[in-house]
Amino acid sequence: MSEFIDLAPEVAEAFASGAPVVALESTIISHGMPYPQNLETAQAVEQDVRDNGAIPATIAVIGGRCKIGLSPAELEYFAKGSDILKLSRRDIPYAIAKKCDGATTVSATMILAEKAGIKVFATGGIGGVHRELATSFDISADLTELGKTSVAVVCAGAKAILDIPMTLEHLETLGVPVIAYGTDEFPAFYTVKSGQKAPLRLDTPGEIAAFLASKWEFGLEGGVVIGNPPPADKALALEAIEHAIDSALVEAKGLNIHGRDVTPFLLQRVTQHTKGKSLEANIALVRNNARLGAQIAVAMAK
Ligand code: PSU
Ligand code: MN
């Protein structure tokens, strides 16, 4: 393993025995949800992975060391901490050199997962092309990472705070397969439907495992987006979320929020505007993705 990476004992054991492992990100804990729901979710998600036959590896940087798998106390630290950096690809060398603590986004988690040899990663939603691209030029580093790093990202699609059609166009340009799981439509995180048909559809974890094997065994490097619709009983209706998103976007503009602060700000405001309903949906969908991620990792290990 690289001199920068520490494996949690359980993850090292899983590698040694060939047991399936699922990577989990930490930005969703430190910057994506409020305490204590973030801690409860992080713990539940790890348990969901275990219940479906795989070992969870939550990824973060602590004191400049890249951690693949966190202890319960470390998980709690990332849920409570207020001085934790949000790390995408560009920030990793800074966090290492300055011995910082940082939570990893989808892009940084993919990088560390790949370096550790983990092929499946479950999260809530990926970053994407933001609305009003022409003036913000805000495209998440997650998309570029998906273009080159060979990890499958199980998510509930992209949030409607983003421009979903443009996000799908950009993923096509980058050569990233986008698969909807058990449905024709690309999900929009809080909502089951986005109005956009997904480019590809697969219906079982086994089919997804076979798809991933074909891509990577043929040498086609890069990530894969697996869009898993949010559980119907917790998903929101488009009308319930549209107004919250529009208000949050207006507020972000008024407060001149930009760069890495945009997504955490929008998530927090949407939670307030929906009186916690969006947070409930968020928790349910991350857990749903962890279950599917584990099932895919198990199918790949066969
Ligand atoms: N989706 C969520 N919660 C989150 C994020 C996405 O439901 O916290 C985080 C992920 O870590 C993702 C990041 O990689 O937001 C994208 O941030 P940006 O838009 O700044 O690239
Ligand atoms: Mn951005």
Side-chain angles (χ1 to χ4, degrees):
M1 200 53 57
S2 137
E3 58 179 301
F4 300 101
I5 291 180
D6 295 331
L7 298 183
E10 195 187 13
V11 174
E13 261 169 52
F15 287 163
S17 68
V21 178
V22 175
L24 301 164
E25 63 153 305
S26 43
T27 290
I28 190 169
I29 306 172
S30 295
H31 305 281
M33 285 184 193
Y35 182 83
Q37 289 93 340
N38 59 353
L39 178 59
E40 289 159 15
T41 305
Q43 292 164 338
V45 161
E46 289 203 347
Q47 192 57 45
D48 291 325
V49 170
R50 291 180 206 287
D51 292 345
N52 285 272
I55 300 296
T58 302
I59 291 178
V61 177
I62 302 179
R65 301 288 306 166
C66 299
K67 302 285 182 187
I68 311 296
L70 300 183
S71 70
E74 288 167 341
L75 212 58
E76 191 163 340
Y77 171 71
F78 279 93
K80 286 183 174 165
S82 52
D83 288 331
I84 291 165
L85 301 177
K86 174 183 165 188
L87 310 178
S88 71
R89 166 180 275 268
R90 63 162 188 199
D91 309 299
I92 295 175
Y94 178 87
I96 292 174
K98 301 277 275 178
K99 301 193 174 12
C100 298
D101 299 336
T104 51
T105 62
V106 168
S107 73
T109 306
M110 287 179 76
I111 293 168
L112 299 183
E114 185 181 55
K115 287 189 186 297
I118 304 172
K119 309 303 290 178
V120 183
F121 160 31
T123 184
I126 54 168
V129 179
H130 283 254
R131 297 191 194 178
E132 298 187 27
L133 175 69
T135 47
S136 70
F137 216 77
D138 190 349
I139 303 176
S140 175
D142 293 353
L143 299 189
T144 323
E145 205 58 55
L146 281 158
K148 57 185 165 201
T149 299
S150 301
V151 171
V153 181
V154 183
C155 61
K159 275 173 294 292
I161 57 171
L162 302 167
D163 187 316
I164 295 176
M166 277 205 206
T167 299
L168 289 170
E169 289 292 351
H170 197 52
L171 286 167
E172 181 186 1
T173 304
L174 293 165
V176 179
V178 176
I179 297 165
Y181 177 63
T183 174
D184 291 323
E185 206 162 319
F186 189 59
F189 197 78
Y190 301 121
T191 57
V192 172
K193 293 193 184 291
S194 65
Q196 304 295 311
K197 197 170 181 288
L200 305 168
R201 169 184 176 152
L202 292 173
D203 291 304
T204 65
E207 283 178 350
I208 295 172
F211 179 97
L212 297 174
S214 322
K215 176 173 166 63
W216 293 327
E217 280 169 21
F218 193 46
L220 296 173
E221 282 160 21
V224 175
V225 174
I226 297 153
N228 187 24
D233 61 326
K234 293 285 182 195
L236 304 181
L238 192 58
E239 310 80 65
I241 196 78
E242 238 171 6
H243 178 68
I245 288 171
D246 290 342
S247 313
L249 287 166
V250 169
E251 281 174 89
K253 206 175 200 177
L255 293 167
N256 195 24
I257 308 263
H258 58 263
R260 61 158 69 99
D261 298 329
V262 172
T263 296
F265 176 85
L266 293 175
L267 286 172
Q268 184 231 332
R269 298 305 291 159
V270 168
T271 296
Q272 285 179 356
H273 286 304
T274 60
K275 303 196 169 58
K277 284 265 180 274
S278 66
L279 180 58
E280 263 182 54
N282 198 342
I283 292 167
L285 67 86
V286 183
R287 296 190 58 181
N288 195 43
N289 297 341
R291 291 188 281 267
L292 178 59
Q295 290 159 12
I296 295 168
V298 167
M300 287 177 80
K302 278 188 185 142

Short mmCIF file of all heavy atoms in Angstrom, two decimals, residues 123-124 153-158 179-183 185-189 191-192 208 225-231 284-293 295-296:
data_model
loop_
_atom_site.label_atom_id
_atom_site.label_comp_id
_atom_site.label_asym_id
_atom_site.label_seq_id
_atom_site.Cartn_x
_atom_site.Cartn_y
_atom_site.Cartn_z
N THR A 123 -22.70 6.50 -2.08
CA THR A 123 -22.87 7.83 -1.51
C THR A 123 -24.31 8.30 -1.72
O THR A 123 -25.16 7.51 -2.12
CB THR A 123 -21.87 8.83 -2.15
OG1 THR A 123 -22.02 10.09 -1.51
CG2 THR A 123 -22.09 8.99 -3.64
N GLY A 124 -24.58 9.58 -1.45
CA GLY A 124 -25.91 10.12 -1.65
C GLY A 124 -26.11 10.53 -3.10
O GLY A 124 -26.80 9.87 -3.88
N VAL A 153 -19.70 4.39 -8.76
CA VAL A 153 -20.30 5.24 -7.74
C VAL A 153 -21.82 5.00 -7.71
O VAL A 153 -22.53 5.35 -8.66
CB VAL A 153 -19.99 6.73 -8.01
CG1 VAL A 153 -20.61 7.60 -6.91
CG2 VAL A 153 -18.48 6.95 -8.08
N VAL A 154 -22.27 4.40 -6.63
CA VAL A 154 -23.70 4.15 -6.46
C VAL A 154 -24.30 5.37 -5.77
O VAL A 154 -23.88 5.74 -4.67
CB VAL A 154 -23.96 2.89 -5.61
CG1 VAL A 154 -25.46 2.61 -5.51
CG2 VAL A 154 -23.21 1.69 -6.19
N CYS A 155 -25.25 6.02 -6.45
CA CYS A 155 -25.80 7.27 -5.92
C CYS A 155 -27.27 7.34 -6.32
O CYS A 155 -27.75 6.49 -7.06
CB CYS A 155 -25.03 8.46 -6.49
SG CYS A 155 -25.12 8.56 -8.28
N ALA A 156 -27.96 8.36 -5.83
CA ALA A 156 -29.37 8.53 -6.22
C ALA A 156 -29.46 9.56 -7.34
O ALA A 156 -30.41 10.33 -7.41
CB ALA A 156 -30.20 8.93 -5.02
N GLY A 157 -28.45 9.58 -8.19
CA GLY A 157 -28.42 10.53 -9.29
C GLY A 157 -27.80 11.84 -8.85
O GLY A 157 -26.96 11.86 -7.95
N ALA A 158 -28.21 12.91 -9.48
CA ALA A 158 -27.69 14.23 -9.15
C ALA A 158 -28.84 15.08 -8.65
O ALA A 158 -29.96 14.96 -9.12
CB ALA A 158 -27.06 14.86 -10.39
N ILE A 179 -25.87 4.45 -15.52
CA ILE A 179 -26.83 3.34 -15.48
C ILE A 179 -27.93 3.69 -14.49
O ILE A 179 -27.64 4.06 -13.35
CB ILE A 179 -26.11 2.06 -15.00
CG1 ILE A 179 -25.01 1.66 -15.99
CG2 ILE A 179 -27.10 0.92 -14.77
CD1 ILE A 179 -24.03 0.63 -15.43
N ALA A 180 -29.18 3.52 -14.89
CA ALA A 180 -30.27 3.60 -13.91
C ALA A 180 -30.56 2.17 -13.46
O ALA A 180 -30.58 1.24 -14.27
CB ALA A 180 -31.50 4.23 -14.52
N TYR A 181 -30.75 2.01 -12.15
CA TYR A 181 -30.97 0.68 -11.59
C TYR A 181 -32.46 0.41 -11.47
O TYR A 181 -33.17 1.09 -10.71
CB TYR A 181 -30.30 0.58 -10.22
CG TYR A 181 -30.53 -0.74 -9.51
CD1 TYR A 181 -30.06 -1.93 -10.05
CD2 TYR A 181 -31.23 -0.79 -8.31
CE1 TYR A 181 -30.27 -3.15 -9.41
CE2 TYR A 181 -31.44 -2.00 -7.66
CZ TYR A 181 -30.95 -3.17 -8.22
OH TYR A 181 -31.17 -4.37 -7.59
N GLY A 182 -32.93 -0.56 -12.24
CA GLY A 182 -34.33 -0.98 -12.15
C GLY A 182 -35.35 0.03 -12.62
O GLY A 182 -36.52 -0.05 -12.26
N THR A 183 -34.92 1.00 -13.41
CA THR A 183 -35.83 2.04 -13.90
C THR A 183 -35.24 2.61 -15.19
O THR A 183 -34.06 2.42 -15.47
CB THR A 183 -36.00 3.16 -12.84
OG1 THR A 183 -36.77 4.22 -13.40
CG2 THR A 183 -34.68 3.72 -12.38
N GLU A 185 -35.51 5.93 -15.90
CA GLU A 185 -35.20 7.34 -15.73
C GLU A 185 -34.02 7.56 -14.78
O GLU A 185 -33.84 6.83 -13.80
CB GLU A 185 -36.44 8.07 -15.19
CG GLU A 185 -36.43 9.52 -15.58
CD GLU A 185 -37.81 10.17 -15.46
OE1 GLU A 185 -38.82 9.54 -15.84
OE2 GLU A 185 -37.86 11.31 -15.00
N PHE A 186 -33.21 8.57 -15.07
CA PHE A 186 -32.14 8.95 -14.16
C PHE A 186 -32.78 9.62 -12.95
O PHE A 186 -33.55 10.56 -13.10
CB PHE A 186 -31.19 9.92 -14.87
CG PHE A 186 -29.92 10.21 -14.10
CD1 PHE A 186 -29.05 9.18 -13.76
CD2 PHE A 186 -29.58 11.50 -13.74
CE1 PHE A 186 -27.87 9.44 -13.06
CE2 PHE A 186 -28.40 11.77 -13.05
CZ PHE A 186 -27.55 10.74 -12.71
N PRO A 187 -32.50 9.13 -11.72
CA PRO A 187 -33.15 9.73 -10.55
C PRO A 187 -32.54 11.09 -10.22
O PRO A 187 -31.40 11.38 -10.59
CB PRO A 187 -32.88 8.72 -9.43
CG PRO A 187 -31.70 7.92 -9.87
CD PRO A 187 -31.65 7.97 -11.36
N ALA A 188 -33.30 11.92 -9.51
CA ALA A 188 -32.82 13.26 -9.16
C ALA A 188 -32.69 13.43 -7.65
O ALA A 188 -33.15 14.42 -7.08
CB ALA A 188 -33.72 14.33 -9.76
N PHE A 189 -32.09 12.41 -7.00
CA PHE A 189 -31.75 12.50 -5.59
C PHE A 189 -32.99 12.51 -4.72
O PHE A 189 -33.41 11.45 -4.28
CB PHE A 189 -30.87 13.74 -5.34
CG PHE A 189 -30.15 13.71 -4.03
CD1 PHE A 189 -29.01 12.95 -3.86
CD2 PHE A 189 -30.60 14.47 -2.96
CE1 PHE A 189 -28.34 12.94 -2.63
CE2 PHE A 189 -29.92 14.47 -1.75
CZ PHE A 189 -28.80 13.70 -1.58
N THR A 191 -36.00 13.14 -5.60
CA THR A 191 -37.16 12.69 -6.38
C THR A 191 -36.78 11.47 -7.22
O THR A 191 -35.64 11.33 -7.67
CB THR A 191 -37.67 13.81 -7.31
OG1 THR A 191 -36.59 14.24 -8.15
CG2 THR A 191 -38.17 15.00 -6.51
N VAL A 192 -37.77 10.60 -7.43
CA VAL A 192 -37.53 9.38 -8.20
C VAL A 192 -37.28 9.73 -9.66
O VAL A 192 -36.48 9.10 -10.34
CB VAL A 192 -38.74 8.42 -8.05
CG1 VAL A 192 -38.61 7.23 -8.97
CG2 VAL A 192 -38.86 7.96 -6.60
N ILE A 208 -24.92 -5.55 -13.12
CA ILE A 208 -24.02 -4.40 -12.94
C ILE A 208 -22.58 -4.89 -12.76
O ILE A 208 -21.65 -4.33 -13.35
CB ILE A 208 -24.48 -3.52 -11.75
CG1 ILE A 208 -25.84 -2.90 -12.07
CG2 ILE A 208 -23.45 -2.44 -11.44
CD1 ILE A 208 -26.50 -2.16 -10.91
N VAL A 225 -21.44 5.70 -13.17
CA VAL A 225 -22.48 6.22 -12.27
C VAL A 225 -23.63 5.23 -12.27
O VAL A 225 -24.15 4.88 -13.33
CB VAL A 225 -22.99 7.60 -12.74
CG1 VAL A 225 -24.17 8.06 -11.89
CG2 VAL A 225 -21.86 8.63 -12.68
N ILE A 226 -24.00 4.76 -11.09
CA ILE A 226 -25.15 3.88 -10.96
C ILE A 226 -26.22 4.66 -10.20
O ILE A 226 -26.07 4.95 -9.02
CB ILE A 226 -24.77 2.58 -10.23
CG1 ILE A 226 -23.73 1.84 -11.08
CG2 ILE A 226 -25.99 1.70 -9.99
CD1 ILE A 226 -22.82 0.94 -10.30
N GLY A 227 -27.27 5.03 -10.90
CA GLY A 227 -28.34 5.85 -10.33
C GLY A 227 -29.42 4.96 -9.75
O GLY A 227 -30.15 4.29 -10.47
N ASN A 228 -29.51 4.96 -8.44
CA ASN A 228 -30.46 4.13 -7.71
C ASN A 228 -31.57 5.04 -7.21
O ASN A 228 -31.31 5.94 -6.40
CB ASN A 228 -29.70 3.48 -6.54
CG ASN A 228 -30.51 2.45 -5.78
OD1 ASN A 228 -31.44 1.87 -6.32
ND2 ASN A 228 -30.12 2.22 -4.53
N PRO A 229 -32.80 4.87 -7.66
CA PRO A 229 -33.85 5.80 -7.23
C PRO A 229 -34.05 5.79 -5.72
O PRO A 229 -33.91 4.74 -5.08
CB PRO A 229 -35.11 5.31 -7.95
CG PRO A 229 -34.77 4.07 -8.64
CD PRO A 229 -33.29 3.84 -8.58
N PRO A 230 -34.37 6.93 -5.10
CA PRO A 230 -34.59 6.97 -3.65
C PRO A 230 -35.81 6.12 -3.28
O PRO A 230 -36.72 5.99 -4.10
CB PRO A 230 -34.86 8.45 -3.37
CG PRO A 230 -35.33 9.01 -4.67
CD PRO A 230 -34.62 8.23 -5.74
N PRO A 231 -35.86 5.54 -2.07
CA PRO A 231 -37.00 4.71 -1.67
C PRO A 231 -38.30 5.52 -1.79
O PRO A 231 -38.37 6.66 -1.32
CB PRO A 231 -36.71 4.38 -0.20
CG PRO A 231 -35.24 4.60 -0.04
CD PRO A 231 -34.84 5.65 -1.01
N ALA A 284 -32.54 8.22 3.89
CA ALA A 284 -33.08 6.98 3.34
C ALA A 284 -32.36 6.58 2.05
O ALA A 284 -32.07 5.39 1.83
CB ALA A 284 -34.57 7.12 3.09
N LEU A 285 -32.04 7.55 1.22
CA LEU A 285 -31.43 7.18 -0.06
C LEU A 285 -29.96 6.79 0.10
O LEU A 285 -29.48 5.90 -0.63
CB LEU A 285 -31.63 8.29 -1.10
CG LEU A 285 -30.95 9.65 -0.92
CD1 LEU A 285 -29.54 9.63 -1.48
CD2 LEU A 285 -31.78 10.72 -1.59
N VAL A 286 -29.25 7.40 1.03
CA VAL A 286 -27.85 6.97 1.23
C VAL A 286 -27.83 5.52 1.72
O VAL A 286 -27.01 4.72 1.25
CB VAL A 286 -27.12 7.86 2.28
CG1 VAL A 286 -25.67 7.44 2.40
CG2 VAL A 286 -27.19 9.30 1.91
N ARG A 287 -28.74 5.19 2.61
CA ARG A 287 -28.78 3.82 3.13
C ARG A 287 -29.16 2.84 2.01
O ARG A 287 -28.58 1.76 1.91
CB ARG A 287 -29.78 3.73 4.29
CG ARG A 287 -29.35 4.59 5.48
CD ARG A 287 -30.19 4.32 6.70
NE ARG A 287 -30.12 2.91 7.07
CZ ARG A 287 -30.76 2.37 8.09
NH1 ARG A 287 -31.51 3.12 8.86
NH2 ARG A 287 -30.64 1.09 8.36
N ASN A 288 -30.10 3.24 1.19
CA ASN A 288 -30.51 2.43 0.05
C ASN A 288 -29.33 2.18 -0.90
O ASN A 288 -29.14 1.08 -1.42
CB ASN A 288 -31.63 3.19 -0.67
CG ASN A 288 -32.41 2.36 -1.64
OD1 ASN A 288 -32.76 1.22 -1.34
ND2 ASN A 288 -32.71 2.93 -2.80
N ASN A 289 -28.50 3.22 -1.09
CA ASN A 289 -27.35 3.09 -1.98
C ASN A 289 -26.28 2.20 -1.36
O ASN A 289 -25.59 1.45 -2.07
CB ASN A 289 -26.77 4.47 -2.30
CG ASN A 289 -27.75 5.33 -3.05
OD1 ASN A 289 -28.71 4.82 -3.64
ND2 ASN A 289 -27.54 6.64 -3.03
N ALA A 290 -26.14 2.27 -0.04
CA ALA A 290 -25.16 1.41 0.63
C ALA A 290 -25.54 -0.06 0.46
O ALA A 290 -24.68 -0.91 0.23
CB ALA A 290 -25.09 1.77 2.11
N ARG A 291 -26.84 -0.35 0.56
CA ARG A 291 -27.29 -1.74 0.37
C ARG A 291 -26.98 -2.23 -1.04
O ARG A 291 -26.43 -3.32 -1.23
CB ARG A 291 -28.80 -1.85 0.66
CG ARG A 291 -29.15 -1.64 2.13
CD ARG A 291 -30.62 -1.94 2.40
NE ARG A 291 -31.49 -0.86 2.00
CZ ARG A 291 -31.90 0.13 2.81
NH1 ARG A 291 -31.52 0.16 4.09
NH2 ARG A 291 -32.69 1.09 2.37
N LEU A 292 -27.31 -1.40 -2.04
CA LEU A 292 -27.03 -1.81 -3.42
C LEU A 292 -25.53 -1.91 -3.66
O LEU A 292 -25.06 -2.85 -4.32
CB LEU A 292 -27.68 -0.81 -4.41
CG LEU A 292 -27.41 -1.09 -5.89
CD1 LEU A 292 -27.92 -2.48 -6.30
CD2 LEU A 292 -28.06 -0.01 -6.77
N GLY A 293 -24.77 -0.97 -3.13
CA GLY A 293 -23.31 -1.02 -3.28
C GLY A 293 -22.75 -2.33 -2.75
O GLY A 293 -21.91 -2.97 -3.40
N GLN A 295 -24.36 -5.16 -2.41
CA GLN A 295 -24.81 -6.27 -3.27
C GLN A 295 -23.96 -6.35 -4.54
O GLN A 295 -23.64 -7.44 -5.01
CB GLN A 295 -26.30 -6.10 -3.60
CG GLN A 295 -27.19 -6.33 -2.38
CD GLN A 295 -28.58 -5.71 -2.53
OE1 GLN A 295 -28.98 -5.28 -3.61
NE2 GLN A 295 -29.31 -5.63 -1.42
N ILE A 296 -23.59 -5.20 -5.09
CA ILE A 296 -22.75 -5.19 -6.29
C ILE A 296 -21.35 -5.71 -5.94
O ILE A 296 -20.77 -6.52 -6.68
CB ILE A 296 -22.67 -3.77 -6.90
CG1 ILE A 296 -24.05 -3.34 -7.41
CG2 ILE A 296 -21.64 -3.71 -8.02
CD1 ILE A 296 -24.16 -1.86 -7.76
#
